[in-house]
């Protein structure tokens, strides 16, 4: 579980998150809201990539600290910056991160296949289209089967087939103890499989709803 207490992030006079209190339970949460509502800032804070102005974030009761190697191994993050080395091919990038995180070569090749990157596996990351970079970045985030998965606009610049591949890969990653947060403007894509939805507006959480599983008898 991710516990967020009085989380505040300010960029100069601009308040990106304002005393946010929240508990993100295991499952996949769709994170929605207009531009500037704080979605990217929240994901970066959870990932330990920025230091809050005030408040704290805990993962299973322990403070989030990006320099903690054990914490980094538990988190997979894909943001607006791809995190890829542009001179390396897609496969070389993933093999590099696989060595860092102890993932196998078969895991690399499996993700290349499941995310539809086979025909671009040997293309330098810097030469990929925007959509190709996005898919490769998501592959990097999923590579080590993290306990926490944070995806910021993973469907940006993707066609329907590539977007569906990402949704399927995320659902395959899901396990009862794992926490995933997907920030996206494509709410319809995520709501189909998300366990909860969180809406941010003007640096505040205005709605957090946990999806109640349908009763099979009622469905019948």
């Amino acid at each position: 579980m991710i516990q967020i207490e009085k989380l505040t992030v300010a960029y100069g006079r601009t308040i990106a998150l304002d005393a946010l209190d929240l508990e993100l339970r295991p499952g996949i949460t769709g994170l929605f809201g207009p531009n500037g509502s704080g979605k990217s800032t929240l994901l970066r804070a959870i990932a330990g990539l920025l230091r809050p102005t005030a408040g704290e974030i805990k993962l299973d009761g322990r403070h989030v600290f990006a320099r903690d190697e054990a914490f980094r191994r538990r988190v997979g993050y894909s943001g607006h910056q791809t995190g890829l080395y542009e001179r390396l091919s897609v496969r070389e990038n993933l093999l590099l991160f696989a060595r860092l995180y102890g993932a196998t070569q078969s895991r690399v090749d499996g993700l290349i296949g499941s995310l539809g990157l086979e025909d671009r596996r040997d293309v330098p990351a810097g030469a990929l289209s925007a959509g190709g970079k996005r898919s490769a970045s998501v592959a990097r985030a999923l590579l080590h089967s993290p306990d926490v998965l944070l995806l910021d606009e993973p469907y940006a610049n993707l066609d329907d087939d590539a977007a569906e591949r990402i949704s399927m890969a995320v659902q395959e990653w899901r396990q009862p103890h794992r926490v995933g947060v997907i920030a996206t403007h494509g709410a319809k894509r995520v709501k189909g499989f998300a366990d909860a939805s969180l809406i941010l507006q003007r640096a505040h959480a205005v709605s957090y709803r946990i999806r109640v599983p349908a009763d099979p008898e009622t469905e019948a």
Side-chain angles (χ1 to χ4, degrees):
M1 180 180 293
I2 297 174
Q3 299 167 300
I4 298 170
E5 301 175 2
K6 304 299 181 186
L7 180 66
T8 299
V9 177
Y11 302 110
R13 295 183 179 181
T14 301
I15 304 298
L17 294 173
D18 190 5
L20 189 65
D21 286 312
L22 190 65
E23 288 187 350
L24 296 174
R25 302 181 182 184
I28 297 171
T29 296
L31 176 57
F32 312 119
N35 290 335
S37 59
K39 301 188 301 296
S40 296
T41 297
L42 177 59
L43 292 187
R44 286 175 55 79
I46 294 173
L49 298 176
L50 60 82
R51 180 174 294 180
T53 306
E56 59 186 13
I57 303 172
K58 296 179 181 178
L59 173 60
D60 295 335
R62 298 183 61 181
H63 285 92
V64 166
F65 185 50
R67 293 184 180 179
D68 182 341
E69 183 175 346
F71 168 75
R72 292 202 306 271
R73 288 180 177 274
R74 297 187 66 187
V75 176
Y77 171 80
S78 173
H80 294 293
Q81 302 297 321
T82 64
L84 302 171
Y85 292 95
E86 295 202 342
R87 293 186 179 181
L88 298 181
S89 70
V90 170
R91 191 168 187 271
E92 287 170 339
N93 264 286
L94 296 182
L95 286 172
L96 172 61
F97 287 103
R99 287 194 292 270
L100 292 174
Y101 289 109
T104 64
Q105 181 174 317
S106 62
R107 174 65 173 164
V108 168
D109 292 333
L111 279 170
I112 287 174
S114 63
L115 292 178
L117 292 166
E118 301 101 320
D119 60 342
R120 289 162 286 179
R121 59 186 290 168
D122 297 320
V123 175
L128 293 173
S129 66
K133 290 179 180 179
R134 180 58 50 207
S135 293
S137 178
V138 171
R140 179 186 55 77
L142 286 165
L143 188 59
H144 56 300
S145 301
D147 291 331
V148 178
L149 180 64
L150 307 169
L151 303 180
D152 195 353
E153 296 295 346
Y155 302 112
N157 305 116
L158 296 183
D159 60 25
D160 288 341
D161 178 67
E164 181 61 22
R165 285 175 177 273
I166 284 180
S167 292
M168 293 299 296
V170 171
Q171 291 175 75
E172 290 173 3
W173 160 87
R174 175 165 42 191
Q175 290 187 14
H177 68 284
R178 291 176 174 171
V179 180
V181 185
I182 303 177
T184 179
H185 289 291
K188 289 183 179 180
R189 293 192 183 278
V190 174
K191 285 183 176 179
F193 62 86
D195 302 291
S197 63
L198 171 62
I199 300 175
L200 296 184
Q201 189 171 6
R202 296 181 181 179
H204 294 89
V206 296
S207 175
Y208 179 53
R209 296 181 179 179
I210 297 174
R211 183 178 183 179
V212 178
D215 186 335
E217 296 184 2
T218 301
E219 288 289 303

